Amino acid sequence: MLVSIVIPCYNSEHTIERVADACAETFAKLDGYDYEMVLVNDYSKDDTFGAITRVCQKYSNVKGVNLARNFGQHAAIMAGLHYVNGDFVVGMDDDLQNHPDQIVQFLEKAEQGYDVVFGVFKERKFNAFKNLTGAVSRFLLWHLLERPKDIQMSSFWLARRYVIDKVKEYEGDSPFIQLLFFRTTYNMANIEIEHFEREVGQSNYTFRKGLRLFLSMISYTVAPLQWAYFFGVVFSMVGFLGGIIVFVHKLLNPNTAVGWSSIMCVLFIFFGIVFLMLGVIGDYLGKMVLNLSRKPQYVVRDEVNVNAELPTGVVDTASGRTDPVADTESS
C-alpha cells in the first residue's frame, strides 16, 4: 500500500531534509508499504524551497510545491492533498516535533478499520502561552462543533484516501483540514504519541496567526449565531425584570437615587454584547463575500518532481498517468 505524507513547510530550511531522511529510514523497515512525500513551501522567508529541491533531487518519490505567497498552514496542506496518490495520507509538521517513526503506530491503528487517526501528545512540548491558548481553543472547539466527543484532534494525523478525496472538494475560504474530516466521517480513533522538543528555531504561530486560525472555524459551525439568540433572550429577560424591580423599588421608596455609574456599567455590558454579536455576524458575511468572489485557497508557483516515477501500479490522480511498468504488465 502507498502512504502519502503531506508536510506544509514554513521557515524549515534546517529541518525538512532531516524529516525526509527520517521518513526514508522508517519506511525502509516496513514491509508491505511504499511511500511518497509532498512538501509544500508556504512562501517561507528562508531558503526552505531550496532545501525542498535538494530533497527532491535526493529522493525520486518526493514532490516539491512552492506557493506564490503565504496562504497559511491549512491552505498549504490542501494544496499538497491535490498531489497525493496514496491509499493512506499522513499529515505532519516540518519541525521534527512530530517524528516520522511514529507513522507506524498510525498505520497499525488504521488497519483496525478506522478512517481517520489523530495523534494525541502525551506531553505537549510548547511554551506556556501556547499551551494555554491551545487549551482554550480545544475547549471551545469541543463545545462548538459537531464531532465525536471522545476524539481529540492534532496536526499529526492519518486519513484514508476516500476521506481525502471528499476534503479536496471543499472550495470555500479558510480551509481547516481536521474540521473537514468531521464533515466526512465519525469513524475515528486517537493514539498516544510522543511530542518532541523543537530542535531548531521557534514556533511560527504568533498570537495573531493562531487567532485567525481559530476564527476560521466559524465557517464550520452556526453556534455563534445561536449564541446571539441565547444572549438576546437572556439579557432581554434580565433587563425586563430589572426594570420592574427598579420601578417597584422607586414606588416604595421615592428617595432612592438613580446612579449614573451603574447605568453606564449596564450600557457598557449590553452594548459590548451587541457589538460582539454584530462582529460575529459580520465575520459570517465577510466569509460569504470571500467565497462568492472565488478567492483562491492557494496558488502554486513552482513544482519539483511532480512527474517523477511512481511505484509500480500506482495511478497519478492529478494527471491520470500510470507507471509505465504497470502499463506493460496490464497489457
Side-chain angles (χ1 to χ4, degrees):
M1 299 184 73
L2 181 66
V3 179
S4 299
I5 304 172
V6 178
I7 303 180
C9 305
Y10 185 73
N11 293 346
S12 54
E13 174 186 2
H14 302 292
T15 58
I16 194 59
E17 295 183 64
R18 294 167 60 189
V19 173
D21 291 339
C23 285
E25 293 173 6
T26 297
F27 279 88
K29 304 173 186 176
L30 279 177
D31 293 327
Y33 290 99
D34 207 336
Y35 82 103
E36 65 174 3
M37 296 182 71
V38 182
L39 308 179
V40 184
N41 177 41
D42 193 21
Y43 204 72
S44 301
K45 297 177 181 178
D46 60 7
D47 190 33
T48 295
F49 190 62
I52 291 174
T53 302
R54 291 192 293 272
V55 171
C56 292
Q57 293 170 348
K58 184 176 181 180
Y59 300 104
S60 62
N61 59 341
V62 178
K63 303 175 184 179
V65 180
N66 190 30
L67 301 186
R69 69 172 180 83
N70 184 266
F71 288 89
Q73 179 185 22
H74 288 260
I77 297 173
M78 182 67 83
L81 295 182
H82 285 80
Y83 292 84
V84 301
N85 303 290
D87 304 286
F88 293 116
V89 179
V90 173
M92 59 184 294
D93 292 335
D94 59 348
D95 53 13
L96 288 173
Q97 289 192 276
N98 302 155
H99 204 279
D101 62 9
Q102 298 184 102
I103 293 176
V104 178
Q105 298 172 241
F106 287 84
L107 292 171
E108 291 174 350
K109 196 69 175 179
E111 291 293 356
Q112 298 177 18
Y114 293 103
D115 296 329
V116 177
V117 181
F118 288 113
V120 177
F121 303 127
K122 297 178 182 177
E123 181 182 357
R124 296 170 63 86
K125 300 296 180 66
F126 296 123
N127 58 48
F129 178 74
K130 190 169 182 180
N131 282 331
L132 175 61
T133 56
V136 173
S137 298
R138 290 193 299 274
F139 175 82
L140 292 175
L141 290 172
W142 184 279
H143 291 85
L144 288 178
L145 300 172
E146 295 181 6
R147 65 190 186 97
K149 296 303 182 184
D150 57 339
I151 294 296
Q152 299 182 49
M153 62 183 186
S154 72
S155 59
F156 200 176
W157 49 262
L158 176 147
R160 291 184 183 270
R161 179 59 176 276
Y162 93 90
V163 177
I164 297 302
D165 289 339
K166 296 303 294 184
V167 168
K168 291 192 297 185
E169 294 177 3
Y170 179 77
E171 297 180 348
D173 180 61
S174 303
F176 200 130
I177 303 301
Q178 289 89 332
L179 301 188
L180 290 172
F181 290 159
F182 296 137
R183 287 187 170 186
T184 305
T185 180
Y186 276 6
N187 185 27
M188 301 179 172
N190 283 137
I191 59 172
E192 195 172 70
I193 59 174
E194 294 288 341
H195 192 218
F196 296 89
E197 294 281 358
R198 179 181 291 272
E199 297 185 17
V200 179
Q202 58 185 3
S203 174
N204 294 307
Y205 262 108
T206 62
F207 176 77
R208 180 181 178 184
K209 288 183 178 180
L211 180 61
R212 190 183 344 175
L213 175 62
F214 173 75
L215 291 177
S216 68
M217 67 97 184
I218 283 182
S219 301
Y220 302 86
T221 179
V222 295
L225 291 177
Q226 295 169 341
W227 284 4
Y229 287 111
F230 172 77
F231 282 123
V233 171
V234 169
F235 283 100
S236 295
M237 293 176 61
V238 170
F240 181 73
L241 292 175
I244 293 176
I245 292 173
V246 170
F247 179 73
V248 171
H249 194 265
K250 185 69 174 177
L251 289 178
L252 296 176
N253 186 8
N255 295 324
T256 301
V258 178
W260 178 85
S261 58
S262 59
I263 294 176
M264 292 304 297
C265 289
V266 171
L267 288 176
F268 272 115
I269 293 173
F270 283 93
F271 277 110
I273 294 172
V274 169
F275 281 113
L276 174 63
M277 293 301 113
L278 286 176
V280 170
I281 295 171
D283 204 359
Y284 276 101
L285 292 175
K287 291 184 180 298
M288 290 174 60
V289 170
L290 292 174
N291 290 337
L292 291 173
S293 65
R294 308 293 294 178
K295 177 188 175 185
Q297 294 175 346
Y298 60 88
V299 177
V300 175
R301 185 176 186 274
D302 303 295
E303 298 174 337
V304 181
N305 258 13
V306 169
N307 294 319
E309 288 297 314
L310 297 170
T312 302
V314 176
V315 177
D316 187 333
T317 55
S319 64
R321 181 178 64 86
T322 307
D323 181 77
V325 177
D327 282 342
T328 303
E329 293 178 349
S330 63
S331 61

